[in-house]
Amino acid sequence: MLLAHPAVLRNLVGEYEALAVLHAENGSPQVRQRMNDLAYTLCVSTGTRDIDAALIAARHRLPGARPEDDSLLQRSGGPAAREPVRQMSAA
């Protein structure tokens, strides 16, 4: 699997999170398409299949991340295990 450069990942994560904070999924068709494109690119860049896993994986690859701390990846028992996983919509 090819890995994206950390600077590219940082930009992708930053733009996706900014759009999410602005609730871009409710915006114009062009903005929604950009958000879907970012989600797809993050998934491909991290080898994941949904945006939540892609964001976690991307953050773990950024400088300063502690790769030995995988507590965010464990989904057994806690409240996160009961939350539905958002799936990337097909574009």
Side-chain angles (χ1 to χ4, degrees):
M1 175 176 71
L2 296 174
L3 298 177
H5 190 278
V8 172
L9 284 176
R10 185 180 311 108
N11 290 338
L12 291 169
V13 169
E15 189 175 351
Y16 184 86
E17 288 178 339
L19 289 173
V21 166
L22 296 171
H23 301 286
E25 66 275 5
N26 300 325
S28 70
Q30 294 85 3
V31 173
R32 288 194 313 266
Q33 183 61 51
R34 179 61 183 157
M35 195 165 189
N36 285 336
D37 291 346
L38 287 165
Y40 175 82
T41 304
L42 278 163
C43 287
V44 169
S45 299
T46 58
T48 58
R49 298 190 69 151
D50 68 77
I51 188 58
D52 291 326
L55 290 169
I56 291 169
R59 288 184 193 114
H60 274 14
R61 292 187 188 151
L62 295 177
R66 296 184 325 202
E68 67 278 358
D69 180 13
D70 65 350
S71 60
L72 292 176
L73 299 176
Q74 296 175 359
R75 294 188 58 113
S76 59
R82 293 185 289 276
E83 295 175 4
V85 175
R86 293 181 302 177
Q87 293 294 320
M88 206 172 73
S89 63

